[in-house]
Amino acid sequence: MAETSIKDIPVNALDGSPLSLTDFSGPLLVVNVASKCGLTPQYAGLEEVAEKYADRGLTVVGVPCNQFMGQEPGTAEEIATFCSTTYGVTFPLLEKTDVNGEDRHPLYAELTKATDADGEAGDVQWNFEKFVVDSDGTVTARIRPRTEPTDPVVIEAIEAVL
């Protein structure tokens, strides 16, 4: 049986409207994000990566999640305003989503099957865990939260799918 393409899983944009990841023809960098986390400044690096690689087809996709100590409590409008005014975020954000547990979104049910550099799969550890997805919708890299978006490990994983 063929592996599920991440891009075929239905998602919604931050405003709740349906969005298809197949609309993004190139690779994706999917990251669960939060506005009130010690790692929140990574938004700046994510935007930098989004801008740097947009012309080569990469789309950064932010997935707000409130599962880690309630660090994303805002409404969709509050999240959008915070991201655009504080970090100048231009990349797409999905609706607030559970990435772990019983109500884990199907997108994360697939993403969390991927292993990290240590060969570990399973639950997302914290906000800002990164998944590199190639143009066909296959996860090619999983990078844990503390690794900055501009770290060579992330950049090499992105370059490998461009």
Side-chain angles (χ1 to χ4, degrees):
M1 192 166 99
E3 218 177 290
T4 301
S5 170
I6 296 301
K7 291 187 171 189
D8 290 335
I9 298 169
V11 296
N12 290 328
L14 184 59
D15 67 5
S17 63
L19 178 71
S20 176
L21 295 176
T22 58
D23 291 346
F24 309 117
S25 59
L28 307 173
L29 177 62
V30 180
V31 186
N32 60 302
V33 295
S35 302
K36 300 189 181 305
C37 174
L39 301 178
T40 299
Q42 286 193 24
Y43 266 123
L46 290 171
E47 181 61 24
E48 183 180 327
V49 167
E51 289 176 16
K52 180 176 180 179
Y53 291 101
D55 63 343
R56 293 178 62 191
L58 178 76
T59 302
V60 174
V61 178
V63 185
C65 176
N66 196 39
Q67 286 188 290
F68 302 101
M69 294 181 62
Q71 295 182 343
E72 187 56 274
T75 63
E77 188 175 284
E78 289 167 340
I79 293 167
T81 300
F82 172 82
C83 290
S84 64
T85 59
T86 309
Y87 291 102
V89 168
T90 60
F91 56 83
L93 295 168
L94 302 185
E95 68 183 351
K96 199 182 319 188
T97 299
D98 281 359
V99 299
N100 291 332
E102 259 181 48
D103 296 325
R104 180 189 327 245
H105 190 281
L107 175 64
Y108 273 86
E110 282 303 310
L111 289 172
T112 54
K113 291 177 183 177
T115 56
D116 64 13
D118 296 326
E120 301 213 10
D123 284 353
V124 170
Q125 290 179 342
W126 199 253
N127 302 308
F128 293 91
E129 190 147 332
K130 297 149 199 75
F131 295 87
V132 177
V133 178
D134 70 13
S135 298
D136 296 327
T138 302
V139 180
T140 59
R142 178 178 187 165
I143 302 149
R144 297 298 184 173
R146 293 198 178 278
T147 305
E148 293 286 334
T150 54
D151 185 280
V153 170
V154 179
I155 300 305
E156 287 168 20
I158 290 168
E159 290 277 356
V161 296
L162 291 175

